[in-house]
Amino acid sequence: MEKNKKDIRILAIETSCDETAAAVVQNGREVLSNVIYTQIKLHTVFGGVVPEIASRKHIEKINPVIETALSEAGVTLDEIDAVAVTYGPGLVGALLVGVAEAKAIAYGARKALIGVHHIEGHISANYIEHKELEPPFLCLVASGGHSHLVLVKDYGVYEIIGRTRDDAAGEAFDKVARAIGLGYPGGPKVDKLAREGNRHAITFPRAKIMDHPDDFSFSGLKSAVLNYLNQCQMKGIEVNRADVAASFQQAVIDVLTEHTIDAAKRIGVDKVAIAGGVASNSSLRSQMKEACTRRRIRFYHPSPVYCTDNAAMIGTAAYYEYIKGVRHGWDLNAIANLKIGERR
Ligand code: KG4
Ligand code: ZN
């Protein structure tokens, strides 16, 4: 693909969990390719991601995935300006595959190396399809491992407003899905089944933490669903799984929406975005949109393919670091518990 001298092209790699992904991103927001090899089928039999298996599969797939990303973008390594990679948080063995690969390519091809925080990648996914979106804005990040309310003050400048005290929203979806026999990964399956159910059928709790209203807690909700299922079993009542899915999902969505809108109003931001796997939930998207419109807040969300794990979002986040002059050294390591905004 023809390259203008000023164009910045980044080869991005993402291997923090069970997706082996590579992408080529131009000037931050133009995705030239976005290749994802999902390992979901491999982990389904175990009911969740098995870290050791994930790492082994990443090793096997990473080179073909990168080659496909380069060829689909129509670029050679020579035409790349930097190699970006997720270096945390995530499964450490899985992260190490991507980090070692990125270092080897950058070292061999003499390119800049940029380590990216996985969640900062999720947030940056919003820039891809909303060319006009610029900070400041408030972003709800809801994924399998994280539920955060993040104030994006500027590119790469983040303040955590709220976080989960226990389970992440996606984790609650996965656990409830398992309890009602839907299997892994639970989010998309609950989302689908909920469409056939009545969201007002069962009243599940919506937790609010008194001393910190922006924080989340989903473990009580998860226990309430399990208790409900147990009680039905003990009383010999047949469970309507669609009603359970719809009522549980509604409880999660109410909490996510209310906390986000309340925080946006209090802080005084007029732009709200959502990110992470749970952000692909159809009901969350429509409820959040409605709530934002009512309060004259502009609402942004990525397409589902940019909500779940992908490397394009890593390339986008890396671009804003690149133009600031951020570079990592050859000693870049994987950090399983890397904090948002932390630079190591
Ligand atoms: O962002 P992601 O792909 O990986 C992490 O960084 O964790 O998020 C995966 C999570 C899983 O818990 C999955 O069940 C959830 O996102 N998820 C959904 C939907 N699609 C994926 N949750 C609710 N509704 C969905 N449609
Ligand atoms: Zn993720």
Side-chain angles (χ1 to χ4, degrees):
M1 198 181 169
E2 192 80 3
K3 189 182 186 215
N4 190 308
K5 263 198 175 151
K6 283 192 200 140
D7 285 341
I8 305 293
R9 282 180 182 163
I10 296 181
L11 168 66
I13 299 169
E14 155 65 46
T15 64
S16 67
C17 191
D18 59 346
E19 259 89 35
T20 317
V24 179
V25 177
Q26 180 164 285
N27 302 327
R29 303 194 184 210
E30 200 185 329
V31 178
L32 302 186
S33 66
N34 185 32
V35 180
I36 303 165
Y37 171 80
T38 178
Q39 306 181 2
I40 281 177
K41 268 197 182 145
L42 204 65
H43 300 282
T44 300
V45 281
F46 301 101
V49 180
V50 183
E52 170 96 12
I53 295 175
S55 309
R56 287 165 183 264
K57 208 58 181 178
H58 285 314
I59 275 285
E60 201 181 305
K61 292 291 174 187
I62 189 78
N63 279 325
V65 164
I66 290 172
E67 278 185 358
T68 310
L70 288 170
S71 72
E72 281 185 7
V75 304
T76 62
L77 263 186
D78 276 351
E79 298 162 317
I80 292 288
D81 297 282
V83 182
V85 64
T86 306
Y87 73 115
L91 304 170
V92 79
L95 287 165
L96 280 170
V97 175
V99 169
E101 178 83 13
K103 283 163 77 169
I105 295 174
Y107 187 78
R110 296 181 188 281
K111 304 291 174 184
L113 174 70
I114 303 166
V116 174
H117 188 288
H118 182 72
I119 298 302
E120 296 179 18
H122 273 303
I123 295 169
S124 304
N126 280 285
Y127 297 134
I128 297 171
E129 294 157 298
H130 302 291
K131 309 292 180 205
E132 76 289 4
L133 176 62
E134 290 196 45
F137 61 93
L138 184 69
C139 188
L140 167 73
V141 187
S143 71
H146 307 266
S147 295
H148 279 108
L149 259 181
V150 182
L151 179 61
V152 184
K153 293 176 159 179
D154 200 346
Y155 292 107
V157 183
Y158 304 94
E159 183 184 334
I160 299 175
I161 304 293
R163 50 164 59 86
T164 183
R165 297 282 177 111
D166 37 60
D167 291 354
E171 199 179 343
F173 268 95
D174 294 335
K175 286 176 179 168
V176 165
R178 196 179 308 156
I180 57 175
L182 294 178
Y184 178 84
K189 290 179 176 166
V190 170
D191 189 355
K192 195 165 164 225
L193 185 63
R195 283 174 218 157
E196 295 161 28
N198 173 6
R199 62 198 163 104
H200 304 297
I202 310 147
T203 310
F204 289 128
R206 280 117 171 106
K208 189 115 189 157
I209 293 152
M210 283 311 169
D211 60 338
H212 208 310
D214 298 326
D215 279 358
F216 303 101
S217 167
F218 295 108
S219 71
L221 169 60
K222 176 196 66 191
S223 303
V225 174
L226 297 179
N227 283 344
Y228 174 83
L229 295 172
N230 276 339
Q231 278 180 13
C232 285
Q233 198 185 19
M234 271 160 32
K235 292 178 190 160
I237 302 168
E238 199 186 325
V239 172
N240 182 325
R241 298 194 314 161
D243 282 355
V244 175
S247 302
F248 156 77
Q249 180 175 281
Q250 193 55 46
V252 176
I253 292 174
D254 282 350
V255 168
L256 293 177
T257 309
E258 195 187 308
H259 286 206
T260 307
I261 301 290
D262 285 355
K265 289 312 265 181
R266 200 186 60 246
I267 297 163
V269 284
D270 60 358
K271 287 178 271 183
V272 159
I274 55 173
V278 181
S280 55
N281 185 278
S282 48
S283 306
L284 172 66
R285 291 156 88 98
S286 54
Q287 189 163 319
M288 195 69 101
K289 186 172 181 207
E290 206 184 293
C292 285
T293 309
R294 227 181 301 130
R295 299 200 179 57
R296 295 200 170 78
I297 293 171
R298 269 170 292 166
F299 175 58
Y300 302 86
H301 61 78
S303 291
V305 69
Y306 297 126
C307 285
T308 42
D309 289 349
N310 66 90
M313 66 184 196
I314 303 303
T316 299
Y319 170 78
Y320 292 100
E321 296 293 288
Y322 181 89
I323 57 175
K324 270 194 249 171
V326 173
R327 305 288 184 269
H328 277 95
W330 303 125
D331 59 349
L332 179 69
N333 204 346
I335 302 167
N337 60 353
L338 188 67
K339 305 280 175 293
I340 294 178
E342 189 183 359
R343 300 279 178 267
R344 279 210 241 168

